[in-house]
Amino acid sequence: HNPYYQEIKYIKERFHVSAVFSAKAKVAMSRFEPSSSINYEKLHENINIVRRRLNRPLTLSEKIVYGHLDDPAGQEIDRGRTYLRLRPDRVGMQDATAQMAMLQFISSGLPKVAVPSTIHCDHLIEAQIGGAQDLQRAKEVNQEVYNFLATAAAKYGVGFWKPGSGIIHQIILENYAYPGVMLIGTDSHTPNGGGLGGICIGVGGADAVDVMAGIPWELKCPKVIGVRLTGTLSGWTSPKDVILKVAGILTVKGGTGAIVEYHGPGVDSISCTGMATICNMGAEIGATTSVFPYNHRMKTYLEKTGRGEIGSLADQFKDDLVPDKDCEYDQIIEINLSELKPHINGPFTPDLAHPVSEVGAIAKKSGWPLEVKVGLIGSCTNSSYEDMGRAASLAKQALDKGLKCKAQFTVTPGSEQIRATIERDGYAKILRDVGGVVLANACGPCIGQWDRKDVKKGEKNTIVTSFNRNFTARNDANPATHAFVTSPEIVTALALAGTLNFNPETDYLTTPNGEKFKLEAPTGDELPSRDFDPGQDTYQHPPAESSSVKVDVNPASNRLQLLEPFDKWHGKDLENMRILIKVKGKCTTDHISAAGPWLKFRGHLDNISNNLLIGAVNIENDAVNKVKNQLTGEYGGVPDVARQYKASGVNWVVVGDENYGEGSSREHAALEPRHLGGRAIIVKSFARIHETNLKKQGLLPLTFANPQDYDRIRPDDKISITGLKSLAPGKQLTAEIKHSDGSQESISLNHTFNETQIEWFKAGSALNRMKELQ
């Protein structure tokens, strides 16, 4: 039950290792997709070419990134400035973003994907009752979408992991990630694979289409932030606390444009899945990705997941899978794991970091609800065997004293393999006995797929999760929910106590008979002593012959819609554009294109465009989804006004604040404004993925040359963007602003377009440009 058998076969043949396969292995090999040709020799060769050119030691990030250059001998390399043309090894897509990615791939007219690619059904399963019931309901409700994805995958040569198989990042870690791989995924938490020593980067669907089409993929040459770990993890401190601490240091935008590279003697005290947890949540600091150096913990994980041969091969090329001595980082952060204390971050932003020992007092002072209504463990960040074992060790202590959770408690296994193994080994029963509900192997509440019933919308309450993201209303669509992210161990402890004002290192619980007792520090095996139980087989291999496979999209469907090409640039300046909304404060992709119940429309651009910016705060009135139609003088919802402007032939822009578009990789946040007539997004700064997504769809992502110019723009202004005929890399554009009082002023705008990306703008989108070049 291992998609890597083909990889192993290739390695053995390529490197003359004796091949001995069992009959079962031979059957498994025939069921999974062809080799992605792990080629450490090519990586080694490219690294040496670049090292000779740069004549300096290389970080691990540089080795893997530059080792995948399309032209290592000729590529201009300057961290933070030049754009690299790269050849990733493979593509992963989750079902919510795969719909638009596959619709775009279909539009490209290409017959098959050029690199190994997979689709993972994890986002469309809503948590309601429990795993089995919720999965069955999802299969029925989403049958049309699942059928589209399964047939499109079969038609175009893509592997398909069915609903119930697990969360994309856990499946990739168990099956596809390996030291030195470069993988892109249409989900912002793709960096999870860095826990196995790969460079795994979250992207929008249009980027995935480029790679699947065999076109070199562009990435601005990342800077490298080094995090040096010393000491040893122990007691209540977990790998999650490392990234919670780093998020507090760097904030949600401190990693933008950089890879975070962990190194130092403390690394060896962290399990492979623990390293994955740290890399996963690196998305919350805006990092391009995060990565750990290859070590024995990774080799053990490879062996336990049926890929021992890859570990042996990685040993031979280990020098290419660790940083060079004396390599230089753009920034260094030092963390002593022996001194690190358990942390909890939130509410409403993942970088508001507090030691667990202090959060109760801070909550009282801040007026945050102390009662913990729900504790939720699992998700792509924290659902490993080790995570579940450590949580179960605490639950067992409570059960032995006659205690159950005071708060509601949910458990989300990361994969079918994890679910089956924790069932076999008794962890699932312990977690259920203490009051937990085991949900489906899916994203569930972490992405807002939660039919929550215990509080009313608008009711102030607190939840604690082992998730990665806690933006306003993200988990349950309730803007009054105060969500905190922490480790599964701390979630379990707080669910038992029922309050934020509980430090498990010092405080006591009370048993039903009045006895006081203190929880001992959690324990748990890194990996099962026996092999993993793979559970049910949930993988569909693409057929060798797919010409007869039909991919149907019903024109009357409200879930799926074939794409029409966006209009080309008309060759002139964009004049007298209206401001759809001037956004106040934080504006994540959740604010721009909400998830939760809207996920059902991810394959239908027109329908999902009805959620455009409905969560963003309008600076004019501090309201959400209430903007003035400057043509009529009436107020309406943001998407409604956008549609009215489009119907009247009026172009419009959005004006925003810092780190606009942080969070998810969802390209719908770029597709929707383009579809409804938007032309430019003008902000103080962008999050990396969103800026690229806007460029891909033919929009102009522009930043104020002087951030204070944000204050000069009024919601009823008209804006003209001039200088487009001479648009060139590094050359500023000008915004001519006409105020309603008749006055005018000009401001300068920056952009990060390179020559290739300018052609996307002129063609109307990157997909249009791809067709022009065919």
Side-chain angles (χ1 to χ4, degrees), residues 535-557:
Q536 298 180 36
D537 182 6
T538 53
Y539 177 76
Q540 171 189 293
H541 181 63
E545 171 52 48
S546 62
S547 59
S548 62
V549 177
K550 295 196 173 180
V551 182
D552 291 324
V553 176
N554 184 344
S557 172

Side-chain angles (χ1 to χ4, degrees), residues 167 337 414 466 480 531 562 576 730:
I167 305 172
L337 300 179
S466 69
D531 286 342
L562 292 175
N576 294 317

Side-chain angles (χ1 to χ4, degrees), residues 430-464:
I430 293 170
L431 294 169
R432 277 193 290 262
D433 288 348
V434 84
V437 175
V438 178
L439 301 174
N441 315 322
C443 301
C446 183
I447 58 154
Q449 285 284 45
W450 184 17
D451 186 19
R452 190 179 180 191
K453 303 289 191 185
D454 63 299
V455 297
K456 294 177 182 176
K457 190 166 183 178
E459 182 180 340
K460 202 172 174 182
N461 74 100
T462 286
I463 64 173
V464 291

Side-chain angles (χ1 to χ4, degrees), residues 12 45 58 64 193 260 290 409 442 459 701:
K12 288 185 171 181
E45 178 186 330
L58 300 176
I64 302 176
V260 178
S290 302
F409 188 50
E459 182 180 340

Side-chain angles (χ1 to χ4, degrees), residues 42-43 46-47 50 54 58-72 75-80 82-89 179-184 197-201 217-224 257-261 288-291 320-321:
K42 180 67 173 174
L43 185 74
N46 286 356
I47 290 169
V50 172
L54 300 182
L58 300 176
T59 66
L60 170 60
S61 307
E62 291 180 304
K63 288 181 180 182
I64 302 176
V65 171
Y66 303 161
H68 286 82
L69 284 169
D70 184 51
D71 179 14
Q75 171 73 61
E76 185 183 5
I77 298 170
D78 185 4
R79 292 199 317 218
T82 58
Y83 281 86
L84 307 179
R85 290 167 60 81
L86 301 163
R87 292 285 185 179
D89 297 303
V181 72
M182 173 171 274
L183 180 151
I184 67 164
I199 291 292
C200 303
I201 301 176
W217 173 60
E218 283 200 341
L219 176 72
K220 181 175 270 191
C221 188
K223 294 184 177 182
V224 187
I259 294 176
V260 178
E261 183 173 310
T288 301
T289 191
S290 302
V291 68
D320 294 330
L321 305 173

Side-chain angles (χ1 to χ4, degrees), residues 12 19 152 275 316 324 328 420 431 439 457 470 532 536 551 555 573 680 694 739-741:
K12 288 185 171 181
M275 291 187 254
Q316 297 176 39
D324 286 341
E328 291 189 7
L431 294 169
L439 301 174
K457 190 166 183 178
N470 59 344
F532 278 107
Q536 298 180 36
V551 182
D573 289 337
L694 291 167
H739 300 304
S740 58
D741 61 8

Side-chain angles (χ1 to χ4, degrees), residues 709-721:
D709 286 344
Y710 169 89
D711 298 319
R712 296 168 68 181
I713 294 181
R714 306 167 193 168
D716 59 353
D717 287 343
K718 290 182 180 179
I719 292 182
S720 298
I721 296 175

